């Protein structure tokens, strides 16, 4: 329980930091803190494979790509905010936050929660259990998601295809001349 | 009983850090001496007998140097980056079994800090975090050479990590477990995995050199183009942390290679832990040998090699192993 509270505080602080930080790189760092504390949550649930996968995929691959782009874009720039293009978005966001938060609170009071059955299924989130689930009865969904992601990746490549048929070296020479 | 286990754990952690730091110091000395011999000169041999006290002199010099920070640098991230690099480098070794379990005070003591059932994945999780130190260090210095070095590091490590993961999956499938001790015990029963997995091992070793930013893959710190890459602005102990992390990463990838492909601590006559260190030392020698022999890659060739040669080759070997293990072939 103590571990849960400490972790929850760290995770929430990370999540808040993402939106509060002025520097995009600091936001990315807070997001990594959040991701890693989620991974430790998985370990508390003894879902060790989920934890390792969370760190490898999200912290190790996706966030590195994020940082790759963010460091390139923010290098040597001042960190004060650009002027706002959309007038009054702060006020609107505040109103929306109050409305949605209030709505959730009302819902919570009107429909009090039932007791959630505790106890985790056998093999929850470890290598064996995940493998059984992904490659067993649910394989069709895994294949569908994989196909969708592959299509998206190939689609990006096709959409960004250069119009001219020239090879990169030739284009480089053209640009230089 | 509980107290005894905690005490043992603390002793093991202190020993591991001591071994890694000593290993770093003398790998570095060995590298400088060997590079000297490869280039027909003597190398550092003045401090102590045969230069054996050179690491202490280097350490003193680093500790006493002024710690500089550029004016435009991001102070928090600048200080954090070397810590991340060193921390992740040290963490990985916690799951590598250095020897067979020994019996002490009626307890069976594993020669690793932790023995999780997914040890191999833990190794990958921590090593994938190591790149943050390089990227953030390069970015926080606010220096264009540092930034280029950091960006190169992230691009290179992401590209080569894929092939490395695929190469190691073959071992995981053959041994049927991701527990590093289990993989060694499998090799005790069925022979070293280097024999069936020779292709995977070659891919693993190439990517390991790239992951540790060693020549010929040391593009992130290419001194002829980028001054010193991501650690251009660092000095004193912060610079030393980067160097320590690089050498400890070398020891770590060697240890993982020994565990996965060369039977870990297995070997005749000598005690298991000695065998493990002999095998790691051979790997470290090969690392230095490669550095003395090969010139640096050109950047586009590095990327082409990673994505168009190593990744497909690893994928094909992986699928072949899968077909073999499941009995399709």
């Amino acid at each position: 329980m103590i571990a849960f509270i400490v972790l929850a505080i760290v995770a929430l602080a990370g999540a808040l930091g993402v939106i509060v930080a002025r520097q995009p790189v600091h936001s990315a760092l807070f997001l990594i803190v959040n991701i890693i504390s989620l991974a430790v949550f998985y370990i508390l649930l003894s879902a060790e494979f989920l934890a390792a996968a969370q760190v490898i995929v999200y912290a190790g691959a996706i966030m590195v790509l994020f940082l790759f782009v963010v460091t390139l874009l923010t290098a040597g720039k001042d960190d004060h905010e650009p002027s706002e293009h959309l007038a009054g978005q702060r006020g609107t966001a505040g109103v929306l936050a109050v409305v949605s938060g209030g709505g959730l609170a009302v819902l919570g009071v009107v429909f009090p929660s039932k007791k959630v059955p505790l106890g985790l299924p056998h093999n929850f989130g470890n290598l064996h259990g995940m493998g059984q689930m992904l490659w067993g009865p649910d394989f069709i969904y895994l294949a569908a998601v994989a196909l969708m992601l592959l299509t998206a990746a190939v689609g990006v490549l096709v959409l960004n295809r250069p119009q001219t048929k020239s090879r990169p070296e030739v284009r480089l020479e053209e640009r230089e001349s | 009983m509980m107290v005894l286990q905690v005490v043992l754990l603390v002793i093991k952690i202190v020993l591991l850090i001591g071994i890694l730091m000593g290993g770093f110091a003398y790998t570095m000395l060995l590298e400088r001496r060997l590079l000297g011999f490869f280039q027909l000169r003597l190398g550092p041999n003045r401090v102590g007998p045969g230069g054996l006290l050179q690491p202490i002199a280097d350490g003193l010099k680093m500790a006493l140097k002024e710690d500089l920070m550029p004016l435009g640098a991001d102070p928090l991230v600048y200080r954090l980056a070397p810590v991340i690099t060193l921390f992740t480098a040290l963490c990985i070794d916690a799951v590598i079994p250095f020897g067979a379990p020994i019996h002490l005070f009626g307890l069976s003591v594993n020669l690793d800090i932790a023995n999780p059932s997914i040890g191999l994945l833990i190794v990958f999780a921590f090593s994938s975090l190591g790149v943050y130190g390089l990227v953030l260090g390069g970015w926080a210095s606010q220096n264009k050479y540092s930034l280029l070095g950091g960006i190169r590091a992230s691009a290179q490590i992401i590209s080569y990590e894929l092939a490395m993961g695929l190469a190691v999956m073959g071992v995981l499938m053959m041994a049927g477990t991701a527990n590093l001790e289990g993989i060694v015990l499998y090799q005790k029963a069925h022979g070293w995995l280097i024999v069936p997995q020779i292709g995977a091992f070659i891919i693993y070793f190439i990517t390991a050199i790239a992951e540790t930013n060693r020549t010929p893959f040391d593009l992130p710190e290419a001194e002829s183009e980028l001054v010193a890459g991501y650690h251009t602005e660092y000095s004193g102990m912060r610079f030393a942390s980067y160097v320590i992390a690089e050498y400890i990463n070398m020891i770590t990838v060697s240890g993982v290679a020994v565990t996965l492909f060369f039977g870990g601590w297995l070997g005749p006559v000598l005690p298991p832990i000695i065998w493990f260190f002999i095998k790691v030392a051979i790997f470290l020698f090969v690392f230095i040998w490669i550095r003395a022999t090969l010139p640096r890659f050109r950047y586009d060739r590095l990327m082409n090699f990673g994505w168009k040669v190593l990744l497909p080759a690893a994928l094909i070997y992986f699928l072949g192993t899968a077909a073999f293990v499941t009995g399709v072939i």
Side-chain angles (χ1 to χ4, degrees):
Chain A
M1 194 62 195
I2 298 169
F4 175 82
I5 291 170
V6 172
L7 265 177
I9 292 171
V10 173
L12 280 178
L16 277 178
V18 175
I19 46 175
V20 172
R22 282 275 180 263
Q23 275 274 5
V25 173
H26 291 174
S27 291
L29 278 178
F30 277 117
L31 192 50
I32 296 165
V33 170
N34 185 264
I35 287 169
I36 290 177
S37 49
L38 279 188
V40 184
F41 267 126
Y42 287 136
I43 290 178
L44 282 187
L45 295 171
S46 67
E48 43 190 26
F49 174 70
L50 270 185
Q54 166 97 358
V55 173
I56 294 173
V57 174
Y58 286 98
I62 292 178
M63 286 314 293
V64 175
L65 285 178
F66 259 66
L67 264 186
F68 181 87
V69 176
V70 168
T71 48
L72 260 183
L73 291 183
T74 62
K77 281 202 185 137
D78 298 335
D79 52 352
H80 49 71
E81 290 250 301
S83 59
E84 286 181 21
H85 293 298
L86 290 171
Q89 58 170 325
R90 277 169 197 263
T92 323
V95 170
L96 277 177
V98 169
V99 167
S100 53
L104 280 176
V106 167
L107 279 178
V109 171
V110 174
F111 303 101
S113 61
K114 289 194 194 73
K115 194 166 187 214
V116 182
L118 284 174
L120 296 166
H122 182 56
N123 269 341
F124 173 73
N126 65 18
L127 195 52
H128 194 73
M130 288 295 288
Q132 291 280 336
M133 209 163 76
L134 288 180
W135 297 90
D138 296 336
F139 177 68
I140 182 94
Y141 306 118
L142 178 71
V145 170
L147 207 64
M148 195 182 77
L149 288 176
L150 184 67
T151 319
V154 172
V156 169
L157 286 183
V158 171
L159 288 177
N160 284 321
R161 185 183 47 182
Q163 295 300 315
T164 51
K165 290 274 164 73
S166 59
R167 292 184 303 137
E169 294 88 357
V170 181
R171 267 186 284 135
L172 201 66
E173 282 164 17
E174 281 170 4
R175 209 179 300 154
E176 280 167 359
S177 62
Chain B
M1 208 60 170
M2 192 68 193
V3 177
L4 190 62
Q5 275 175 342
V6 170
V7 169
L8 270 176
L9 192 65
V10 171
I11 292 174
K12 281 198 291 190
I13 291 173
V14 172
L15 266 182
L16 178 70
I17 292 180
I19 288 172
L20 285 176
M21 286 300 175
F24 145 70
Y26 282 92
T27 311
M28 190 153 175
L29 179 66
L30 185 76
E31 169 157 41
R32 292 175 67 184
R33 291 300 316 255
L34 283 175
L35 279 181
F37 293 139
F38 278 121
Q39 296 161 356
L40 297 182
R41 56 189 174 85
L42 284 174
N45 64 348
R46 292 286 142 183
V47 190
L52 276 181
L53 296 180
Q54 182 71 38
I56 298 169
D58 284 346
L60 270 178
K61 176 188 151 196
M62 280 300 175
L64 294 176
K65 258 195 163 182
E66 189 184 356
D67 176 32
L68 293 170
M69 185 163 73
L71 205 59
D74 186 317
L76 182 72
V77 181
Y78 185 82
R79 296 202 175 96
L80 189 67
V83 180
I84 297 178
T85 314
L86 191 55
F87 174 75
T88 51
L90 285 170
C91 278
I92 306 172
D93 287 275
V95 294
I96 297 176
F98 280 73
I102 51 173
H103 296 283
L104 231 97
F105 312 120
L107 270 177
S108 171
V109 183
N110 280 338
L111 289 186
D112 45 21
I113 309 288
N115 189 14
S117 66
I118 48 160
L120 190 54
L121 295 177
I122 301 272
V123 168
F124 272 85
F126 275 117
S127 76
S128 69
L129 291 182
V131 64
Y132 284 119
L134 314 190
V135 185
L136 293 174
W139 174 81
S141 304
Q142 291 292 344
N143 167 327
K144 54 185 87 127
Y145 296 116
S146 301
L147 183 72
L148 283 172
I151 284 170
R152 277 187 178 187
S154 61
Q156 172 179 327
I157 289 180
I158 280 199
S159 309
Y160 280 75
E161 213 168 41
L162 283 172
M164 188 185 225
L166 277 177
V168 166
M169 283 308 132
V171 173
L172 199 148
M173 283 191 294
M174 289 201 75
T177 172
N179 180 317
L180 291 173
E181 197 187 355
I183 290 172
V184 175
L185 292 177
Y186 173 87
Q187 296 181 73
K188 195 174 188 177
H190 297 87
W192 291 4
L193 278 167
I194 178 70
V195 182
Q197 290 288 319
I198 176 88
F201 167 70
I202 293 169
I203 295 166
Y204 172 83
F205 192 62
I206 296 172
T207 53
I209 301 171
E211 291 270 306
T212 48
N213 293 323
R214 298 278 304 175
T215 325
F217 297 100
D218 60 345
L219 276 295
E221 41 192 312
E223 64 271 7
S224 51
E225 353 174 346
L226 293 184
V227 190
Y230 56 89
H231 57 58
T232 304
E233 298 285 0
Y234 282 89
S235 62
M237 279 318 283
R238 294 187 209 285
F239 171 73
S241 324
Y242 276 121
V243 180
I244 295 172
E246 180 180 330
Y247 282 84
I248 289 181
N249 277 330
M250 260 167 74
I251 298 174
T252 308
V253 292
S254 307
V256 173
V258 165
T259 310
L260 295 183
F261 297 100
F262 289 90
W265 67 75
L266 304 175
V269 188
L270 292 172
I273 192 158
I274 303 286
W275 269 113
F276 188 84
F277 286 127
I278 290 176
K279 290 172 185 173
V280 168
I282 294 172
F283 265 95
L284 291 175
F285 174 74
V286 176
F287 266 106
I288 296 165
W289 190 11
I290 289 173
R291 172 169 175 188
T293 313
L294 294 176
R296 189 177 292 133
F297 263 93
R298 214 174 68 195
Y299 193 70
D300 55 333
R301 297 219 173 127
L302 169 97
M303 281 295 153
N304 277 341
F305 184 61
W307 287 100
K308 295 183 183 166
V309 179
L310 282 182
L311 188 59
L315 187 63
I316 290 167
Y317 210 89
F318 165 74
L319 290 177
T321 311
F324 176 76
V325 169
T326 51
V328 175
I329 297 176

